[in-house]
Amino acid sequence: MSKPRRWEPDILGEEFDQLTLDLPGGKVATLVRYTPSDTPPDPPASGPTADVLYVHGWSDYFFQTELARYWAGQGARFFAVDLHNYGRSLRPGEEPGYVQDLRDYDADVGAALEAMGQDAADARPLILLGHSTGGLTLALWAQRHPGRAAALILNSPWLEFQATELARRVISPLVSLEAQHHPRRPLPPVDPGIYTRTVSAAFGGEWQYDTEWRPVRGFPVTVAFLHAVFSAQATVAAGLQLQLPVLVLLSDNSYLHPRWSEDAARSDVVLDVNVVAHRSLSLGSTVNVDRIPNAMHDVFLSAPAVRAQAYNAITRWGSGYLRALPHFGKARPPEG
């Protein structure tokens, strides 16, 4: 019988810890928690009044420390999970990001919530926060688990194919057939590294991170992964009818070109934000779409002034919908 896992210091330094989560089939996920130095690791019920769980996107992992500090400033406990085959959870010999169905991540989310104490009768209200593919994953998770989350916040969620719904519907049968026979076949690379150039400190951006876990041109995209995404997007297009408040944060502009331009640092270089904004209305009856001028694909990796607008957008929205946090919005957003 294996010993229970314990919280250990995380690579992000003081105030961050990580916990390995054992999953079926020998896989693992990794839960990261942020504990400000002036609070105990397990605060009493009179402390934080909500829990936030963040899920990263494709070819990514959690390193957004400023985001954690924002939520702590709003009175919440902040957690993030590196899904299996990603980041802290990636083990030697595993295919980075490989998945055949986004529902496979239910085990990761479930294990994270259990470790957070969300299975307890007196659990704090849960706020789900997902970026890109993580946003798509959490939207569908919320549909399959009604009543578990109090709110859903999506940061540039990959809700629809960049080339529109019609293109997805035309391509999807071919992708599905190929996934049945050659699921691990890599697709031709389409990422020229423009997004990395806008983000990474090594290329003039602001952020430092592990390029083994977030490669310059991303992980190879397999047929199985694309099929999983297309299937999930089709479910969203049919309407999720979520019965919880949803906030979608998007840039006001896309730059979907193969050559570098300074406009890339002020745009979403991954998604067609107008297509995603339209598809967001399929999520449920209470959906707010906030377009952040000059934001990048990960809104919280944008320029300091831009992401300050994003934090303010959450604060405004949360003052109405996040009633679980009675003091929400009184804390100052993190300084860039």
Side-chain angles (χ1 to χ4, degrees):
M1 183 175 181
S2 60
K3 295 181 179 180
R5 304 279 193 170
R6 294 183 178 181
W7 289 98
E8 299 178 352
D10 187 64
I11 57 173
L12 295 178
E14 295 183 8
E15 302 184 324
F16 288 90
D17 301 293
Q18 64 170 267
L19 177 68
T20 300
L21 307 172
D22 294 310
L23 305 177
K27 298 290 186 181
V28 299
T30 309
L31 186 64
V32 179
R33 71 178 177 189
Y34 172 61
T35 306
S37 56
D38 57 352
T39 45
D42 296 300
S46 60
T49 53
D51 285 345
V52 175
L53 178 63
Y54 172 85
V55 175
H56 59 81
W58 164 252
S59 195
D60 206 353
Y61 72 102
F62 172 69
F63 64 92
Q64 292 84 346
T65 55
E66 183 185 79
L67 182 63
R69 294 188 174 96
Y70 165 79
W71 281 105
Q74 303 305 320
R77 295 197 307 170
F78 180 88
F79 299 84
V81 60
D82 279 8
L83 302 171
H84 67 267
N85 293 0
Y86 283 98
R88 299 164 178 82
S89 309
L90 187 61
R91 298 296 185 264
E94 294 181 342
E95 294 182 71
Y98 182 78
V99 71
Q100 293 182 307
D101 191 320
L102 296 188
R103 287 178 294 188
D104 292 352
Y105 296 129
D106 280 14
D108 306 55
V109 175
L113 295 180
E114 181 179 3
M116 292 163 57
Q118 277 292 317
D119 290 344
D122 59 347
R124 298 171 177 85
L126 174 65
I127 301 167
L128 297 175
L129 171 57
H131 169 56
S132 198
T133 312
L136 176 61
T137 299
L138 285 181
L140 291 165
W141 185 93
Q143 182 201 41
R144 293 192 298 272
H145 300 82
R148 291 295 305 275
L152 177 65
I153 301 176
L154 305 179
N155 168 13
S156 303
W158 194 12
L159 301 180
E160 186 54 274
F161 187 43
Q162 291 88 321
T164 75
E165 177 185 5
L166 178 60
R168 171 176 54 77
R169 295 175 65 179
V170 170
I171 299 172
S172 187
L174 301 176
V175 172
S176 177
L177 182 62
E178 185 70 7
Q180 295 178 38
H181 299 287
H182 306 286
R184 287 179 164 79
R185 176 170 290 174
L187 297 169
V190 296
D191 184 357
I194 290 177
Y195 187 36
T196 293
R197 183 171 176 179
T198 64
V199 173
S200 173
F203 299 96
E206 182 180 348
W207 305 95
Q208 294 183 345
Y209 50 81
D210 191 325
T211 55
E212 292 293 322
W213 294 347
R214 186 183 166 110
V216 173
R217 299 185 63 183
F219 298 140
V221 176
T222 62
V223 174
F225 173 77
L226 186 60
H227 171 64
V229 169
F230 277 2
S231 297
Q233 290 174 340
T235 301
V236 174
L240 295 188
Q241 299 180 338
L242 296 178
Q243 300 299 309
L244 77 171
V246 182
L247 173 64
V248 178
L249 300 173
L250 289 169
S251 178
D252 66 339
N253 186 57
S254 293
Y255 180 84
L256 303 177
H257 304 285
R259 295 184 178 180
W260 169 256
S261 167
E262 292 296 333
D263 290 338
R266 299 183 292 270
S267 307
D268 190 319
V269 300
V270 177
L271 303 179
D272 185 324
V273 290
N274 292 326
V275 169
V276 174
H278 174 74
R279 179 57 66 226
S280 296
L281 302 180
S282 300
L283 293 171
S285 57
T286 308
V287 179
N288 292 71
V289 179
D290 208 317
R291 305 290 290 270
I292 310 297
N294 301 318
M296 294 195 294
H297 177 54
D298 187 334
V299 173
F300 299 109
L301 297 183
S302 303
V306 176
R307 58 184 189 265
Q309 293 183 59
Y311 290 123
N312 288 334
I314 295 178
T315 303
R316 288 194 306 270
W317 176 82
S319 65
Y321 288 107
L322 301 184
R323 296 178 181 177
L325 293 167
H327 303 293
F328 192 89
K330 294 184 179 180
R332 298 174 64 182
E335 296 182 358

